[in-house]
Amino acid sequence: MMNYDFQKIEKYWQDYWRKNQTFKASNDSDKPKFYALSMFPYPSGAGLHVGHPLGYIATDIYSRYKRHKGFNVLHPMGYDSFGLPAEQYAIQTGQHPAITTENNINRYREQLDQLGFSFDWSREVRTSNPQYYKWTQWIFIQLFNAWYNKKSDKAENISSLIAIFEKEGNTDVEAACDDDTPSFDTVTWNGYSEKEKQEILLKYRLTYLADTEVNWCPALGTVLANDEIVNGVSERGGHPVVRKKMTQWSMRITAYAQRLLDGLDKIDWPQPLKDSQTNWIGRSVGASVTFNVKMDEMLKQVQHDDVTSSAVEKPYEIEVFTTRPDTIFGVSFMTLAPEHELVAKITTPEQKVEVDAYVEATAKRSERDRMADVKTISGVFTGAYAEHPFTKEPIPIWIGDYVLASYGTGAVMAVPCGDQRDYDFAKHYNIDIPNIFEGVDISEEAFADKETTVIANSDFLNGLPYKKAMKKIIAELERIGHGEGKVNYRLRDAVFSRQRYWGEPFPVYYVDGMPQMIDLEHLPLQLPEVEKYLPTETGEPPLGNATEWAWDRLKAEVVSNDLIDNVNIFPLELNTMPGWAGSSQYFNRYMDPRNDEAIFSPEAINYWQDVDLYIGGSEHATGHLLYSRFWQKFMFDMGYVPKDEFAQKLINQGMITGESAFIYRAETFVVYNDGKGKVKDIPIEEINNDGYLLSYSYIKNSDIHHSSYGTFINNEELEKRFTKELREKFASKVLNEDELVYEEYLSDYENLYVTAIYFYKLHVDVSYLVGVSNELDVDKFKNSKMYSDTSSLKLICDEDGKYIVGREVEKMSKSKYNVVNPDAICEEYGADSLRLYEMFLGPLEQSKPWNTAGITGVHSFLKKLWRLYSPLEGGEGGVEPTADNLKTLHKTIKKVEEDIENFSFNTSVSTFMICVNELTSQKCTSKAILEPLAILVSPYAPHIAEELWSRLGNTASIAEAPFPKFEEKYLVESSKEYPISFNGKMRFKLEMPLDMSKEDIEAAVLAHEKTQAQLEGRTPKKVIVVPGKIVNIVG
RNA sequence: GCCUUGGUGGCGGAACUGGUAGACGCGCUGGAUUCAAAAUCCAGUUCCUUCGGGAGUGAGGGUUCGAUUCCCUCCCAAGGUACCA
């Protein structure tokens, strides 16, 4: 048999699988189903690096394993192909994003193909493909045509809501809807115009238009996310950003807040991910309480102000949300967010100047800024008072930026004795801190523990513990009409509009300003062509550049904008959908991806049901994975899908980090002048205009010392050398004429010492290193762009001419020059080696650094495996297996099966190594052993497994071969090498039969000479014998 | 701050429900083979040691015959989240 020619083998089997459609899944099978899914990638221009395939390999191993176990496996792959980078590239180069995307996808496909995945490519989806986004648009329309009925606790068709309105108005409707929804009866409803009716309905629909405040950057012509803004200006370009109200589509995800929370208990997802979602939804239970503003104060103000008397007929109300209504008798002030709408209305003339100044100052700071600055206490008294709902005492109303307008009602009742922030605020401004806790000292800090005390000084709540007090106070609040029990969520409705080109167009046109949906039969509404991909001069989104972007309702087609008459031809929506639109149902579309009549057939969804195993990165915790659960629940409510959670089990694969390489550039000399006793920093450029000292600007790692002060030199020899050269420089007076700063050194430069040199570290591309070592390939580096960019620099090397770089583990990314590409590794070691190695690196869920050096280990394992099969070529080897052979095999079967079920792929790779090492030393040539072994290996290293399988004489693919059955009988032992420990420490081993009795074991151990030596004459206090496990002697 | 997950040789990492710590691989050292190299094979490799043995899983304490594993306190790292009322 020839050598292990992995390139030939891998190519052959990849072609074989493609031709034979080995991994095509059927939607109709007697076998049980298994749906294994990897998160589909965004096809970026950079291609795959070694970190990307980690999760795919894991999913692939599990899929192949399930096939061996007799399952009908669905294992699809596709592309999340709408997105910003392709659009940005289009803006810069004019190349259509569709072309960029297509090129990138082709590159991805090539890279994926060479890794030997068992994907069913016939089911590939691309979110930017009109045949795909037709169904994204369809779901949008379904959401538009739905409302959330809190009584049935599910989404229903909007027609059921209209029916209720027509019959009884909306007073009895309990729905997730806008806060400003008016109440009306049947007569009023029927009296509304069609447009008014549509406006009301929009307040109930699960996707709706609303004015949303966004971060608008006029210079970039786009909306920015919070993290794209730094210090009030855009991160990119530093342009000013303003808050701007824009009409945007929103998704009423808040309707599902509770069900999204409850659903987490039913699914097997990682705890950290569930916790992120729980925090994100942010449920808090408490009460809303209404405080009236004291009107006698307000009325006085009316004399001075222009407030009309009608405005104060009804007292102003401040609604707060609190999780501790039981502490209401501890309220000593209230705080409003500076943006609160009442601030302007209630501020007294005396306080007006101060309040206005504070409001203005806060407005200048971004919300992010305010939140980051937690320590500073600031606030201003408005001069107004609220009335305590029970005691009727006046409560001063303050404003303070620790209260956020965006959470709750933007106002809090401050209970300084029970909340540390309120406490600090009260202390700072000398406000009363009444104590309402029995026997608790609050002289130093607030007391926030709910469980360990009872309420005092609180009228009817006195003596009650937390839970009882909560119940009682909520009942009382409801009785006097000043509040009610309430559950508050942090979760906000999701903005669904983007001012981008490369996204799904909304299937929406506008009649009289009201949105109308395009009928399903006319979908997809395809993305129009535009001249340029930037926003228009009038600030409209990029689709505003399209000239053919109007909807002809009669012809049901897109026509030129010139034809818009608002009778039959109407303008189309200019925004596009966000990135998560296309990924929120793709897992279901894979079940029936070529269906043009429906998003999927009922047969397909009923057969596949849901995803059994989903593997992907944890960065999608509160984005994709939350939105997908939301849409799935909606689809469930509407009866389209049978499960209300789309993925039963989810695993987050860890990140593979890269080892960045660094070189060090000298930045500053610290010079000490002995004659004058002066210390000075000299920036290297200032003394360097002839390039003289720059010749030493790259220093190797071992001469560098890193500390919290910076990176500086750690080599006395070099300091001396620099000192010498610096003196020479002064001696030869080669300084610039205008650099008189250093003139003072000229007179006594002989007393000059370089005492330290500071360095700036620079990433150097890992491909400039010699092989996989830490040594810089000096020639290669000198020919590189980086080197020529940084001018004529020389490296200070060791005496033997080597330059050792510094290494640090960082996220693998192009900008850090630490990317390792799988192509080169496949070329050199093969896909099977890469697959095995990625798994061998460590636990799937853990992040770990990539180190190419280690791949030789798994590669030589594959060579050993190959050699093990060599004598059996041509189907020979009917040799009876020995007991040892069988023991090794079955030990391996057991371990590998357990490992795969536990997703502990790293340990099964070592199990294979042990197995092959053992069989090799046993000189095993039995087909009865090697055939099942090939099946065990095949999920991990499918190419070599197929090859060996066929060389053993099999004609069919190994993919469907049944997984070997583990048999306990081959592992039964008759004796055990007992560890003999003294006080828990193992000291020696003793072989004894397994059927030996406890007493006999004890006697045998005590009689042993080594035992006596250990005891040194002492009598053991106790002897523990655990048969089959251990002997422990105490004494 | 809070939540979560971790902390084991020079490195990546093993160790089942408490029962022989360091499997497996990398690296390193020595040897064999070779004209030489690659490749391959063999032996060694936690630390200390007076070669008897002793210590050892972030630190300290506890439970136990026995703790990497369970409990408490603390330290460190990574990820998430944050004036959330």
Side-chain angles (χ1 to χ4, degrees), chain A residues 304-350:
Chain A
H304 308 279
D305 227 327
D306 286 335
V307 181
T308 57
S309 54
S310 66
V312 288
E313 269 169 13
K314 222 177 113 202
Y316 290 132
E317 289 178 346
I318 300 174
E319 193 194 333
V320 302
F321 173 76
T322 174
T323 54
R324 295 294 305 273
D326 57 312
T327 61
I328 195 163
F329 288 95
V331 172
S332 65
F333 62 102
M334 304 193 67
T335 316
L336 307 183
E339 299 90 341
H340 198 282
E341 53 165 8
L342 277 182
V343 171
K345 296 179 185 166
I346 63 171
T347 301
T348 59
E350 299 79 53

Side-chain angles (χ1 to χ4, degrees), chain A residues 217 224 228-241:
Chain A
C217 178
L224 297 175
E228 291 172 315
I229 303 167
V230 180
N231 299 325
V233 296
S234 68
E235 190 185 19
R236 218 156 28 93
H239 305 293
V241 175

